[in-house]
C-alpha cells in the first residue's frame, strides 16, 4: 500500500470558496476510518513519517481520546530522538501497566517536556487534555520555563503560545478541560512540523535553533521537526505542476495549479503539499473579458497580465508577473495568457479579496476528448484492457491502472462507474493517455416547464444548461424532441449539465405492431385503434386520441388489418390510455443474416442493456403467439435477420428477429505447428482473440497448407472449423478475406493498408482514400513481438501510428469477423 504523504490545509474545489481552512480528503488514505475527516491529511503525513500508528484492524480511530503516555511517545518520535529513549526503570509509581512507555516518559521527563502529578504518579493511561497536549508540543518546540516569555501561569501561557504558533488551526475539540482526541492531536502535531525550534540562552532570551548554512540566502536554515524527520529534503512555495504530481509519492493531481508550500524528500519527490495560498474557481469569462462568473457569483478579473503571477519561494507571496502557469488537460504547458471570452469555461487558481480576483497563479483549460453514455462493454474495457473510450490509462510497475496519474470527478473510484452513467474522458501528451475522467450519475425526472432559445431547460422549477454550451469539446448531447409540459428524464454530467434529455421512458416506449383497426359509429365518425406487442411480451389494444388521428394516419396509414411485415413503433399513452404519439422505426433499420458480436453489436449498432428482442417463428407478424422474448445474453454470437429501432443513443432498443443461427468458426493467428502422437500426426497452434493459445490436430498435408496460408510470421488471420475429435480437416480452414459465407457461415470484411489517421475509434487507410472504419471499444489488436518472434494480443491503439510528412504509418489489416456488422473487431499490425 502506498503511504499517503499529502498535507493539504486548504483547497477550494471548482465551484465555491470555503470560508475556513481545512484538511482536504486524500484519495488513498492508509486508514479506513479517516476519509473526509479534517485530520486525514495530518494523520497520513505523520503516519508516513513514522510518527504515529493506527490499529491492527486498519483503523486510526480519530474520535477516541489519547493517553498521556501515548502522546509522550509520539512527541519524542516527532523530535527524532526515539532511538535515544532507552530507560528501563522509572521513579514514577504507576508505570507497572505501561512498561512500553517507560523509555519515552523518562526521556521526556529528563528533557523537561513532561512532569507527573507531584505525588509520584505520572498517570500514563489518563486522557491527556487539550491544555496538557498543547503544553507538551509547545515545550517540544523549545518554549520551556527557561524562556523569559514563558514565565506565566499554567496553562494560560502555553495556550497563548500554542495559539500564536498556529497549533490549534483546524482543531475541532475544545481546548479547555476535555480529553484530546487522536484526530485533533494529529492536527496539532502536524501544525508544529514546520514551526522553527527554539531554545533559551543563559539570559532567558528565546533564540531559534540553526542548522546548516544556506549560501544562496546567506542565512542558516532553521531546525524544525520536519527538517529532522525529512533529512536532506526541501520545502519551498511553488505553483504545483503536473510534473510534480508525476513525481509525487501520493496523489496530488487535484492540486495541480495551486500555489502552496511543497515539501520534497532527498530524491526530489513530493511528500507534502500544504499552506495553500490560492483558491480554485471554475467559471465563465464575460464577453468583455472583465468578469468571471462562478455559479451565481460574479468576480472582477485583473485588467493586466501583471496580475498573472507565480509565487515567491520563500514567503508564498506574489512572485514574477506574466508568469502564471498554463495547464492544458491537466498537463502544465507554458505561460497563461490573459483570459478572454474565447476561453469559455476555465479553472483558475487565484487570490481573492471579496469579489475581486487580485492575482491569478494558474489557468487550467480542460477540453473533453470523448464522451458517451456508459455501456457494459466500456466498463469491461476498463477492467480487461485498461482503456476507456479508446484511450489508455497510465499503468504502474505492476501493470495496473495508476490512479495517481489522472483526476476522477463525480465518483470515488473507477469501480463506481455504472452502466448509463455519463462519462467524459480527457487526454493529454503525445501518448494521449487519460488525465481526467468525469462521471455523471444523477438523473432528473419531472415536468419540463420552460425551454429557452439559448439551450436552458427548466424541470420542476430548476434550470439546467446543455452540456455542449458549458463544457469545452465537441459534446454529443442527446436531446429528444420534447416540449414544455412533457414529463422528461434528464441525465446530468459530472458538472450538473444536461447531457441527455428524453421523454419519460415509462410513458414513451417501443412495441411491435400486430394489427390496426378502424371503425365507424352511427354518426359516420371513424375511430382508429392499434394492437401492440409491448416490451414485456403482453398485447395491448389502444384507441387513438381523436385530436391525434391526423398524425396517426400519416405514420400508420388509413388501412386496417394485420401487419404483413415486422413493424416497430415508439408510442405514448395519455391519461385515458389513448395513443397521442406514435412513430415508426426507420425502414432502413433492418439487416439480413447479421451476427451479434461478443461485445453486443448488431449491424454496427450496440444492443442497449435493456434491449427487447422478439424472435418470430414463421412469417406471420400479426400473431402474438409467433413471438418469443429472447434475452440479450442469449443473442450474443447468434446470426439472424432482423428489423430494429434505435434509441436516442443510437443503440438498438427493440428488435424483431427471425431464426437465430449459431456460428462455430474459430478465428486466430497461427503461432506454431509440428508433429505429434495424435492419430492425425500433426498439429497447429492458434492464438485466439481472447489471448489463449489452442492446439488443434491435423494431417501433415493440412498443416503445410495452413502454415502456407498463414503467411509470413503467421500474420494472416485464419478461420477454422474443428470436428469432435479436435481435428481440422481439409476444406475446414481458410485465410480470412472478403468472402461471402466464410466457411459456410458468416460474411467477413477485411481492409488492409497504411494508416493515415486514427481518432475517435476510427481508422483511415491510404488504400481507401477518405473512408474511415470504426472499431469496437474492446477491439483485439495483434502485435508482433520481435524479441519472441511471434504475435501477441497485448497490442493497443497507441501501437498504431498514423503517417506524417516524415514517417510512414503502421500497415494494418482490419477484420470484421462478427457478422459484418460494420464495426471492426480485430486488427493485425503487419
Amino acid at each position: 500500500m502506498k503511504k499517503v504523504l499529502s498535507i493539504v490545509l486548504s483547497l477550494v474545489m471548482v465551484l465555491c470558496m470555503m470560508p475556513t481552512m481545512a484538511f482536504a480528503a486524500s484519495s488513498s488514505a492508509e486508514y479506513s476510518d479517516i476519509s473526509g475527516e479534517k485530520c486525514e491529511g495530518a494523520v497520513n503525513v505523520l503516519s508516513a513519517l513514522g510518527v504515529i500508528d493506527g490499529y491492527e484492524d486498519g483503523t486510526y480511530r480519530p474520535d477516541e481520546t489519547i493517553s498521556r503516555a501515548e502522546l509522550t511517545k509520539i512527541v519524542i518520535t516527532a523530535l527524532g530522538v526515539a532511538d535515544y529513549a532507552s530507560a528501563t526503570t522509572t521513579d514514577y509509581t504507576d508505570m507497572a501497566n505501561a512498561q512500553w512507555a517507560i523509555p519515552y516518559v523518562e526521556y521526556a521527563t529528563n528533557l523537561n517536556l513532561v512532569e507527573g502529578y507531584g505525588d509520584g504518579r505520572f498517570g500514563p493511561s489518563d486522557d491527556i487534555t487539550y491544555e496538557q497536549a498543547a503544553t507538551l508540543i509547545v515545550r517540544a518546540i523549545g518554549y520551556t520555563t527557561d524562556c523569559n516569555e514563558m514565565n506565566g501561569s499554567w496553562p494560560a501561557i502555553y495556550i497563548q503560545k500554542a495559539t500564536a504558533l498556529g497549533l490549534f488551526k483546524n482543531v475541532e475539540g475544545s481546548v479547555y478541560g476535555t480529553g484530546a482526541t487522536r484526530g485533533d492531536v494529529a492536527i496539532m502535531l502536524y501544525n508544529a512540523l514546520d514551526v522553527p525550534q527554539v531554545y533559551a540562552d543563559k539570559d532567558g532570551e528565546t533564540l531559534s535553533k540553526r542548522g546548516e548554512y544556506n549560501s544562496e540566502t546567506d542565512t542558516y536554515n532553521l531546525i524544525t521537526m520536519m527538517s529532522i524527520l525529512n533529512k536532506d529534503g526541501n520545502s519551498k512555495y511553488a505553483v504545483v505542476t503536473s510534473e510534480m504530481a508525476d513525481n509525487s509519492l501520493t496523489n496530488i493531481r487535484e492540486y495541480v495549479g495551486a500555489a502552496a508550500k511543497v515539501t520534497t524528500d532527498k530524491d526530489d519527490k513530493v511528500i507534502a503539499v500544504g499552506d495553500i495560498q490560492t483558491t480554485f474557481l471554475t467559471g465563465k469569462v464575460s464577453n468583455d473579458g472583465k468578469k468571471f462568473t462562478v455559479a451565481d457569483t460574479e468576480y472582477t478579473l485583473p485588467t493586466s497580465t501583471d496580475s498573472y503571477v507565480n509565487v515567491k519561494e520563500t514567503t508564498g507571496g506574489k512572485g514574477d508577473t506574466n508568469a502564471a502557469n498554463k495547464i492544458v488537460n491537466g498537463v502544465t504547458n507554458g505561460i497563461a495568457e490573459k483570459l478572454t471570452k474565447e476561453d469559455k469555461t476555465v479553472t483558475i487558481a487565484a487570490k481573492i479579496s471579496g469579489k475581486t480576483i487580485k492575482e491569478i497563479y494558474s489557468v487550467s483549460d480542460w477540453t473533453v476528448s470523448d464522451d458517451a453514455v456508459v455501456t457494459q462493454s466500456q466498463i469491461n474495457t476498463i477492467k480487461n484492457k485498461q482503456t476507456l473510450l479508446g484511450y489508455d490509462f497510465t499503468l504502474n510497475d505492476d501493470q495496473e491502472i495508476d490512479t495517481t496519474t489522472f483526476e476522477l470527478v463525480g465518483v470515488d473510484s473507477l469501480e463506481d462507474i455504472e452502466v448509463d452513467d455519463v462519462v467524459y474522458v480527457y487526454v493529454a501528451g503525445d501518448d494521449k493517455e487519460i488525465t481526467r475522467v468525469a462521471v455523471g450519475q444523477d438523473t432528473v425526472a419531472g415536468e419540463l416547464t420552460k425551454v429557452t432559445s439559448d439551450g436552458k431547460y427548466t424541470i420542476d422549477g430548476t434550470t439546467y444548461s446543455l452540456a455542449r454550451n458549458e463544457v469545452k469539446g465537441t459534446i454529443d448531447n442527446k436531446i429528444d424532441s420534447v416540449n414544455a409540459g412533457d414529463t422528461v428524464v434528464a441525465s446530468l454530467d459530472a458538472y450538473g449539465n444536461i447531457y441527455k434529455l428524453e421523454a419519460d421512458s415509462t410513458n414513451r416506449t417501443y412495441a411491435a405492431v400486430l394489427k390496426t383497426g378502424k371503425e365507424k359509429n352511427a354518426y359516420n365518425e371513424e375511430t382508429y385503434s392499434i394492437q401492440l406487442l409491448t416490451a414485456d411480451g403482453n398485447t395491448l389494444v389502444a384507441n387513438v386520441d381523436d385530436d391525434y388521428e391526423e398524425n396517426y394516419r400519416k405514420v400508420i396509414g388509413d388501412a386496417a388489418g394485420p401487419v404483413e411485415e415486422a413493424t416497430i413503433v415508439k408510442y405514448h399513452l395519455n391519461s385515458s390510455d389513448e395513443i397521442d404519439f406514435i412513430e415508426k422505426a426507420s425502414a432502413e433499420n433492418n439487416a439480413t443474416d447479421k451476427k451479434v458480436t461478443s461485445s453486443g453489436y448488431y449491424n454496427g449498432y450496440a444492443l442497449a442493456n435493456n434491449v427487447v428482442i422478439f424472435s418470430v417463428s414463421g412469417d406471420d407478424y400479426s400473431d402474438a403467439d409467433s413471438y418469443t422474448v429472447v434475452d440479450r445474453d442469449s443473442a450474443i454470437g447468434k446470426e439472424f435477420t432482423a428489423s430494429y429501432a434505435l434509441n436516442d443513443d443510437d443503440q438498438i432498443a427493440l428488435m424483431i428477429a427471425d431464426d437465430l443461427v449459431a456460428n462455430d468458426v474459430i478465428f486466430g493467428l497461427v503461432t506454431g505447428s509440428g508433429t505429434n502422437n495424435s492419430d492425425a500426426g500433426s498439429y497447429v497452434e492458434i492464438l485466439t482473440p481472447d489471448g489463449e493459445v489452442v492446439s488443434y490436430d491435423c494431417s501433415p498435408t493440412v498443416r503445410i497448407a495452413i502454415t502456407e496460408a498463414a503467411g509470413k510470421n503467421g500474420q494472416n488471420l485464419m478461420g477454422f472449423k474443428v470436428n469432435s475429435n479436435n481435428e481440422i480437416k481439409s476444406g475446414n480452414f481458410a485465410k480470412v478475406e472478403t468472402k461471402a459465407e466464410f466457411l459456410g457461415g458468416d460474411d467477413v470484411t477485411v481492409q488492409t493498408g497504411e494508416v493515415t489517421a486514427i481518432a475517435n475509434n476510427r481508422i483511415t487507410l491510404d488504400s481507401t482514400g477518405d473512408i474511415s472504419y470504426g472499431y469496437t471499444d474492446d477491439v483485439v489488436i495483434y502485435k508482433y513481438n520481435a524479441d519472441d518472434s511471434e504475435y501477441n494480443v497485448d497490442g493497443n491503439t497507441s501501437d498504431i501510428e498514423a503517417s506524417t510528412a516524415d514517417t510512414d504509418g503502421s500497415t494494418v489489416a482490419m477484420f470484421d469477423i462478427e457478422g459484418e456488422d460494420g464495426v471492426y473487431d480485430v486488427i493485425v499490425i503487419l
Side-chain angles (χ1 to χ4, degrees):
M1 177 184 294
K2 285 187 177 181
K3 288 188 175 180
V4 178
L5 301 173
S6 176
I7 304 174
V8 183
L9 286 180
S10 69
L11 178 72
V12 181
M13 296 306 294
V14 295
L15 292 179
C16 65
M17 291 190 301
M18 296 173 63
T20 60
M21 302 180 74
F23 287 105
S26 168
S27 61
S28 51
E30 184 177 357
Y31 303 106
S32 61
D33 58 346
I34 61 173
S35 178
E37 299 291 333
K38 272 193 173 183
C39 66
E40 181 179 4
V43 169
N44 286 329
V45 170
L46 293 170
S47 176
L49 292 174
V51 175
I52 61 175
D53 294 309
Y55 293 90
E56 291 183 357
D57 62 358
T59 62
Y60 178 73
R61 305 177 193 175
D63 295 328
E64 290 187 5
T65 54
I66 191 167
S67 73
R68 286 164 54 84
E70 286 172 335
L71 185 56
T72 300
K73 177 187 177 182
I74 287 172
V75 170
I76 290 296
T77 304
L79 287 172
V81 295
D83 290 343
Y84 300 102
S86 57
T88 57
T89 61
T90 179
D91 291 333
Y92 292 116
T93 61
D94 56 350
M95 298 294 290
N97 294 324
Q99 294 287 326
W100 63 269
I102 288 176
Y104 308 105
V105 170
E106 281 298 300
Y107 199 73
T109 300
N110 292 334
L111 293 176
N112 294 320
L113 303 183
V114 297
E115 54 192 58
Y117 291 131
D119 58 359
R121 294 181 304 115
F122 179 75
S125 299
D126 294 350
D127 290 345
I128 195 165
T129 66
Y130 282 91
E131 298 97 324
Q132 292 168 346
T135 299
L136 176 51
I137 297 172
V138 166
R139 286 175 177 171
I141 295 170
Y143 293 97
T144 68
T145 53
D146 291 336
C147 301
N148 293 333
E149 63 182 288
M150 298 303 293
N151 288 324
S153 59
W154 186 90
I157 192 67
Y158 287 95
I159 295 299
Q160 291 171 8
K161 179 55 69 174
T163 302
L165 296 175
L167 301 189
F168 292 125
K169 186 188 301 180
N170 299 306
V171 169
E172 295 185 293
S174 169
V175 297
Y176 296 107
T178 58
T181 65
R182 290 169 54 82
D184 276 347
V185 163
I187 294 173
M188 292 169 66
L189 195 55
Y190 157 71
N191 290 336
L193 284 178
D194 282 324
V195 175
Q197 292 190 1
V198 299
Y199 68 98
D201 68 7
K202 62 181 181 178
D203 297 322
E205 182 181 354
T206 304
L207 302 175
S208 296
K209 290 183 180 181
R210 299 194 303 182
E212 295 179 354
Y213 176 73
N214 188 330
S215 59
E216 293 183 5
T217 61
D218 192 27
T219 60
Y220 286 90
N221 294 327
L222 299 181
I223 296 175
T224 65
M225 292 182 191
M226 179 63 86
S227 69
I228 295 171
L229 296 170
N230 186 37
K231 191 175 184 301
D232 297 325
N234 190 19
S235 185
K236 62 183 179 181
Y237 287 95
V239 175
V240 180
T241 66
S242 58
E243 185 178 7
M244 291 178 187
D246 292 338
N247 292 305
S248 177
L249 295 180
T250 187
N251 189 356
I252 61 169
R253 190 70 50 183
E254 60 185 312
Y255 312 126
V256 170
K261 179 175 280 190
V262 179
T263 301
T264 55
D265 64 11
K266 63 181 180 180
D267 298 320
D268 204 31
K269 293 184 180 295
V270 177
I271 64 170
V273 174
D275 197 12
I276 307 295
Q277 299 292 300
T278 53
T279 297
F280 277 135
L281 295 174
T282 294
K284 277 189 169 183
V285 183
S286 62
N287 289 337
D288 60 8
K290 295 181 179 180
K291 298 294 183 181
F292 192 71
T293 302
V294 181
D296 296 327
T297 303
E298 187 176 77
Y299 297 88
T300 300
L301 282 167
T303 58
S304 169
T305 54
D306 287 347
S307 295
Y308 288 67
V309 300
N310 60 21
V311 63
K312 280 190 176 181
E313 291 185 358
T314 54
T315 66
K318 176 181 176 181
D320 296 332
T321 61
N322 295 284
N325 280 1
K326 176 183 178 182
I327 303 166
V328 179
N329 275 16
V331 175
T332 306
N333 185 15
I335 304 300
E337 299 178 353
K338 185 179 177 182
L339 291 172
T340 69
K341 66 177 181 179
E342 303 302 326
D343 289 298
K344 204 172 183 179
T345 300
V346 295
T347 298
I348 62 174
K351 286 189 177 179
I352 302 165
S353 176
K355 294 184 180 179
T356 300
I357 296 171
K358 306 295 288 185
E359 292 134 20
I360 295 176
Y361 290 77
S362 69
V363 176
S364 296
D365 189 4
W366 290 90
T367 301
V368 173
S369 303
D370 205 353
D371 58 279
V373 174
V374 176
T375 64
Q376 186 60 52
S377 174
Q378 288 158 350
I379 292 177
N380 293 340
T381 63
I382 296 175
K383 298 177 180 177
N384 302 329
K385 291 184 174 291
Q386 296 155 321
T387 66
L388 179 58
L389 304 190
Y391 295 104
D392 297 327
F393 289 99
T394 302
L395 305 182
N396 59 24
D397 292 341
D398 296 325
Q399 295 302 296
E400 298 173 341
I401 294 175
D402 187 347
T403 57
T404 70
T405 60
F406 65 94
E407 289 187 33
L408 190 56
V409 179
V411 291
D412 292 330
S413 69
L414 292 174
E415 288 76 16
D416 294 332
I417 298 177
E418 301 176 349
V419 171
D420 293 331
D421 286 352
V422 175
V423 63
Y424 296 154
V425 170
Y426 302 79
V427 301
D430 294 336
D431 295 333
K432 292 190 174 181
E433 292 188 325
I434 294 172
T435 54
R436 176 189 275 184
V437 177
V439 183
Q441 295 191 309
D442 292 336
T443 58
V444 178
E447 182 182 359
L448 179 63
T449 57
K450 184 179 180 181
V451 181
T452 65
S453 59
D454 59 349
K456 294 186 184 297
Y457 293 76
T458 302
I459 303 173
D460 281 352
T462 302
T463 300
Y464 303 88
S465 297
L466 282 183
R468 64 170 171 249
N469 295 334
E470 303 295 328
V471 180
K472 277 192 175 180
T474 306
I475 305 298
D476 184 20
N477 266 140
K478 305 177 187 305
I479 308 301
D480 201 355
S481 177
V482 293
N483 300 299
D486 290 347
T487 300
V488 298
V489 176
S491 298
L492 306 183
D493 66 15
Y495 314 117
N497 306 305
I498 292 178
Y499 180 84
K500 177 182 174 184
L501 183 67
E502 58 187 346
D504 188 345
S505 59
T506 60
N507 293 322
R508 189 173 291 189
T509 188
Y510 297 92
V513 180
L514 301 176
K515 300 173 183 176
T516 59
K518 182 175 67 172
E519 295 181 355
K520 288 187 178 181
N521 60 19
Y523 301 98
N524 207 32
E525 295 173 335
E526 292 179 332
T527 300
Y528 292 88
S529 63
I530 191 167
Q531 185 181 29
L532 304 171
L533 181 64
T534 61
D536 57 8
N538 295 319
T539 57
L540 167 71
V541 177
N543 290 332
V544 178
D545 187 321
D546 292 344
D547 295 332
Y548 190 73
E549 287 181 353
E550 183 177 350
N551 289 324
Y552 171 85
R553 288 194 298 269
K554 289 179 181 179
V555 176
I556 302 298
D558 194 52
V563 296
E564 297 180 356
E565 59 185 11
T567 305
I568 302 173
V569 294
K570 188 177 184 181
Y571 71 97
H572 178 267
L573 298 177
N574 62 19
S575 58
S576 300
D577 289 333
E578 296 175 326
I579 299 288
D580 65 357
F581 169 86
I582 197 166
E583 66 180 16
K584 278 187 180 181
S586 172
E588 298 177 358
N589 293 347
N590 52 68
T592 302
D593 295 334
K594 302 297 182 184
K595 190 177 78 169
V596 179
T597 69
S598 59
S599 53
Y601 282 82
Y602 179 83
N603 199 34
Y605 295 98
L607 299 185
N609 290 292
N610 59 347
V611 64
V612 176
I613 303 173
F614 292 132
S615 178
V616 177
S617 176
D619 55 5
D620 187 355
Y621 295 97
S622 66
D623 184 0
D625 292 335
S626 299
Y627 292 78
T628 302
V629 177
V630 179
D631 64 60
R632 185 181 188 276
D633 289 343
S634 297
I636 300 295
K638 302 299 178 57
E639 180 182 293
F640 47 84
T641 295
S643 299
Y644 52 86
L646 300 176
N647 62 22
D648 293 332
D649 297 327
D650 282 338
Q651 296 175 334
I652 296 176
L654 185 145
M655 63 194 320
I656 300 175
D658 293 339
D659 294 335
L660 310 183
V661 179
N663 181 356
D664 59 357
V665 177
I666 299 165
F667 294 93
L669 297 188
V670 178
T671 57
S673 67
T675 59
N676 61 10
N677 61 354
S678 69
D679 292 338
S682 294
Y683 72 93
V684 292
E685 291 180 340
I686 310 301
L687 176 62
T688 61
D690 61 7
E692 294 185 15
V693 176
V694 185
S695 179
Y696 299 106
D697 297 333
C698 59
S699 70
T701 302
V702 169
R703 176 176 67 85
I704 293 172
I706 289 175
T707 54
E708 287 180 351
K712 180 182 178 181
N713 299 322
Q715 69 181 14
N716 295 331
L717 191 70
M718 301 289 291
F720 308 87
K721 283 191 173 181
V722 182
N723 66 16
S724 58
N725 294 323
N726 201 49
E727 182 178 348
I728 302 172
K729 294 285 192 178
S730 177
N732 282 340
F733 66 90
K735 180 172 69 173
V736 178
E737 49 192 353
T738 304
K739 182 175 182 179
E741 293 187 351
F742 185 80
L743 294 183
D746 292 328
D747 292 349
V748 177
T749 302
V750 182
Q751 303 294 339
T752 305
E754 181 181 345
V755 177
T756 58
I758 177 170
N760 300 323
N761 279 38
R762 302 192 73 83
I763 290 178
T764 305
L765 304 175
D766 63 350
S767 58
T768 57
D770 295 330
I771 301 176
S772 64
Y773 302 94
Y775 53 84
T776 61
D777 289 333
D778 54 355
V779 62
V780 175
I781 299 179
Y782 287 92
K783 176 186 175 183
Y784 188 74
N785 186 325
D787 294 335
D788 298 331
S789 299
E790 64 182 19
Y791 275 89
N792 295 315
V793 290
D794 58 357
N796 56 55
T797 53
S798 64
D799 296 318
I800 301 174
E801 298 181 355
S803 61
T804 66
D806 300 321
T807 60
D808 294 332
S810 301
T811 299
V812 301
M814 302 176 62
F815 301 89
D816 174 11
I817 63 174
E818 304 253 20
E820 197 179 3
D821 61 2
V823 181
Y824 290 77
D825 29 66
V826 174
I827 298 175
V828 180
I829 304 176
L830 302 178

